[in-house]
Amino acid sequence: RKICRAAIIAALYVALTFVTFSFASGAIQFRISEALTILPIFMPEAIPGLFIGCIISNWVTGCTVFDIILGSLITLIAAICTYLVGKYIKNDILRITIGGFFPVVLNALFLPLIWLIYSELEYAYYLQFLFLLAPQALSIYVLGTLLYLALKKIIEKYPKYFVDKKLEKDNSETASPNNSPTNT
């Protein structure tokens, strides 16, 4: 199940990037697919899915080798950080706000550094930072929030499709009265 979900996330990332190809790459970009970066809050398999989806998207949209490798690594690091937020923070507003922070800020900070390799204009970094920050925030905090809320309802309604059976079994055994310490 987890491998299938990771593959679906990667495919969705690529498909959404392709659908919006005309404005999904370049110095000024808006990737609707970045809304998917909120998914690690719910499922760790989103981490490799986003990473692979980003590699494929960057490759097929004609990005440079540095952008394909380093840009995808930025997505990987952001996804891991977002996963950790989902693991340790349970408040929805904080999960979205802090979990979304990593893909927004890491991409806005580090992608222009990669692009600066090809440009000798230092001011280009600051412009590209702003050109990435705003669309990333819009994609993640608007579209990603809508995705978060919809997925949360689906998981609450159909938990058996999202809960790992082995983990569920281990937790129920740990919580059973027979396993609790007794007072003597």
Side-chain angles (χ1 to χ4, degrees):
R1 236 183 240 183
K2 289 182 179 186
I3 292 171
C4 288
R5 277 197 294 258
I8 290 167
I9 291 167
L12 277 171
Y13 191 97
V14 173
L16 289 171
T17 302
F18 247 98
V19 167
T20 59
F21 179 76
S22 61
F23 51 88
S25 290
I28 301 173
Q29 60 179 259
F30 178 68
R31 282 193 180 184
I32 293 173
S33 52
E34 284 294 304
L36 299 174
T37 61
I38 206 78
L39 294 178
I41 287 175
F42 293 107
M43 55 190 90
E45 58 270 25
I47 297 168
L50 291 168
F51 178 61
I52 292 166
C54 188
I55 289 173
I56 295 168
S57 293
N58 287 347
W59 177 57
V60 298
T61 57
C63 293
T64 66
V65 173
F66 288 115
D67 206 4
I68 293 169
I69 296 168
L70 298 175
S72 300
L73 286 173
I74 292 166
T75 297
L76 176 65
I77 293 165
I80 292 168
C81 293
T82 301
Y83 165 74
L84 292 172
V85 167
K87 186 173 180 175
Y88 295 109
I89 297 175
K90 299 306 173 198
N91 177 286
D92 289 334
I93 295 171
L94 289 176
R95 284 175 119 191
I96 294 167
T97 304
I98 299 169
F101 173 83
F102 296 105
V104 170
V105 173
L106 292 179
N107 277 306
L109 282 174
F110 294 112
L111 285 178
L113 288 176
I114 297 167
W115 301 336
L116 196 59
I117 295 169
Y118 302 100
S119 172
E120 294 179 16
L121 305 171
E122 282 186 37
Y123 70 86
Y125 172 82
Y126 301 107
L127 288 174
Q128 289 176 333
F129 171 82
L130 294 173
F131 288 150
L132 276 174
L133 186 68
Q136 279 287 114
L138 182 65
S139 182
I140 292 163
Y141 286 121
V142 174
L143 301 175
T145 297
L146 294 173
L147 178 62
Y148 176 95
L149 296 172
L151 189 56
K152 184 176 181 202
K153 283 186 178 186
I154 292 169
I155 290 171
E156 287 171 355
K157 190 169 183 176
Y158 304 103
K160 67 181 181 179
Y161 298 112
F162 295 93
V163 176
D164 184 9
K165 299 269 189 231
K166 183 181 179 319
L167 180 64
E168 190 176 75
K169 182 181 175 189
D170 291 346
N171 287 342
S172 66
E173 287 175 2
T174 307
S176 72
N178 296 338
N179 292 339
S180 62
T182 57
N183 293 334
T184 55

